[in-house]
């Protein structure tokens, strides 16, 4: 079967669809890190752990959006998360969430919620809702 017709504009349409998809990832990722900060279950002694939740969106192998949910008073926490997001391996395009404090995984392993439960699961649910899948 052969198709005859004008497909000009198809590439533009596909690019617009991709733009919208990655825009949704950024929006949901920011909401997820904010939600994780607000729903934390650990005692926030230094403020670093709660101010180090962040994320990035990777498109065509490059970071196109990156953020850290912070109050502005914890630059080391922000820098740790930014470095983790920039220098860690990102094998696929998509949304990546992280906390750059080296003890974040320990706190989560003790049953407290830092980014994994409240961030990642929140993002997963909301991506599906926003994309109607």
């Amino acid at each position: 079967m052969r198709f005859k017709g004008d497909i000009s504009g198809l590439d533009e349409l596909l690019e617009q669809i991709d733009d919208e998809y990655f825009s949704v990832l950024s929006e949901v990722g920011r909401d997820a890190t904010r939600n994780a900060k607000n729903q934390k279950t650990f005692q926030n002694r230094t403020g670093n752990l709660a101010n180090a939740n962040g994320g990035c969106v990777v498109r065509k192998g490059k970071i196109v959006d990156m953020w850290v949910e912070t109050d502005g008073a914890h630059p080391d926490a922000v820098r740790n998360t930014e470095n983790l997001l920039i220098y860690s391996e990102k094998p696929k395009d998509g949304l990546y969430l992280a906390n750059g404090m080296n003890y974040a995984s320990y706190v989560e392993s003790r049953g407290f919620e830092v980014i994994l439960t409240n961030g990642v699961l929140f993002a997963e649910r909301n991506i599906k809702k926003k994309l109607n899948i």
Side-chain angles (χ1 to χ4, degrees), residues 48-96:
N48 286 326
L49 195 59
N51 286 282
N53 284 338
C56 69
V57 173
V58 175
R59 183 176 182 180
K60 297 179 183 173
K62 303 225 185 287
I63 295 174
V64 294
D65 190 17
M66 185 171 64
W67 62 89
V68 178
E69 183 65 31
T70 182
D71 62 8
H74 297 84
D76 290 338
V78 172
R79 186 174 48 256
N80 289 348
T81 300
E82 288 174 342
N83 286 337
L84 179 62
L85 291 167
I86 291 168
Y87 297 111
S88 64
E89 185 177 333
K90 294 169 281 304
K92 295 183 178 182
D93 289 354
L95 173 63
Y96 291 84

Side-chain angles (χ1 to χ4, degrees), residues 30-42 44 49-53 69-71 113-115 118-119 122:
R30 289 174 184 276
D31 289 344
T33 53
R34 193 172 308 112
N35 181 65
K37 182 176 181 178
N38 293 334
Q39 302 294 320
K40 69 184 179 341
T41 59
F42 56 90
N44 194 26
L49 195 59
N51 286 282
N53 284 338
E69 183 65 31
T70 182
D71 62 8
E113 296 177 8
V114 177
I115 186 75
N118 284 328
F122 177 92

Side-chain angles (χ1 to χ4, degrees), residues 13-27 59 130-131:
L13 175 63
L14 293 175
E15 189 70 21
Q16 288 174 352
I17 291 169
D18 265 4
D19 289 346
E20 182 62 25
Y21 172 73
F22 287 102
S23 176
V24 165
L25 292 184
S26 288
E27 178 186 338
R59 183 176 182 180
K130 290 195 181 272
L131 296 177

